[in-house]
Amino acid sequence: MRYLKFLLVGILFGIILSKGEVISWYRIYEMFKFQSFHMFGVIGSTVAIGIFLMILFKKGIIKTYWNDTIRVAPKRKGISRNLLGGTIFGLGWALAGACPGPMFILLGRGSIAIGIVILGALIGAFSYHSVKSKLPH
């Protein structure tokens, strides 16, 4: 009962992504072929909102529920790791036809085959976690 609000927000988020056709493999296909602006508009608007919220976090305008400031740890800079990680993520997204959030929405809508993609994503995440400490910093 304590986490009911998170479940409700997740359900609402799933409905919004479904109605906005963000989980549609065809929309993703159009994006990768540069045939439609739909997905670029969705992704671009979320990046813009994220930038705006980060500015508000850093200025201390948005605080936590307990009125504490939100501190975001700075990320290490590096072109090669961003290119490699982005390429792996993009290839997985293109091959699966879904990124991590919509994968669970597709499963909830009855697409049983996406379970294989979720299993592969989980194996990849756990594999990365197991070798993360051995990778160069």
Side-chain angles (χ1 to χ4, degrees), residues 116-129:
I116 296 169
V117 175
I118 292 172
L119 181 65
L122 289 173
I123 290 170
F126 286 125
S127 299
Y128 171 73
H129 179 72

Side-chain angles (χ1 to χ4, degrees), residues 43-99:
I43 293 168
S45 63
T46 55
V47 168
I49 291 169
I51 291 170
F52 179 68
L53 288 174
M54 290 299 293
I55 291 169
L56 296 179
F57 290 160
K58 289 183 179 183
K59 289 188 177 190
I61 296 171
I62 297 179
K63 297 185 182 276
T64 65
Y65 179 75
W66 298 279
N67 206 25
D68 294 331
T69 58
I70 298 172
R71 299 187 200 286
V72 180
K75 301 284 182 186
R76 292 180 315 163
K77 296 186 187 218
I79 299 287
S80 61
R81 85 165 149 248
N82 288 338
L83 286 176
L84 180 63
T87 301
I88 292 171
F89 181 81
L91 286 173
W93 188 13
L95 289 172
C99 63

Side-chain angles (χ1 to χ4, degrees), residues 8-61:
L8 294 176
V9 168
I11 291 171
L12 179 65
F13 184 63
I15 291 170
I16 290 170
L17 289 183
S18 293
K19 294 297 182 182
E21 295 184 3
V22 176
I23 64 168
S24 167
W25 69 269
Y26 186 73
R27 288 290 187 181
I28 295 167
Y29 175 76
E30 284 179 329
M31 177 189 69
F32 281 114
K33 290 189 75 174
F34 298 104
Q35 293 177 338
S36 174
F37 183 74
H38 181 81
M39 290 295 285
F40 290 113
V42 170
I43 293 168
S45 63
T46 55
V47 168
I49 291 169
I51 291 170
F52 179 68
L53 288 174
M54 290 299 293
I55 291 169
L56 296 179
F57 290 160
K58 289 183 179 183
K59 289 188 177 190
I61 296 171

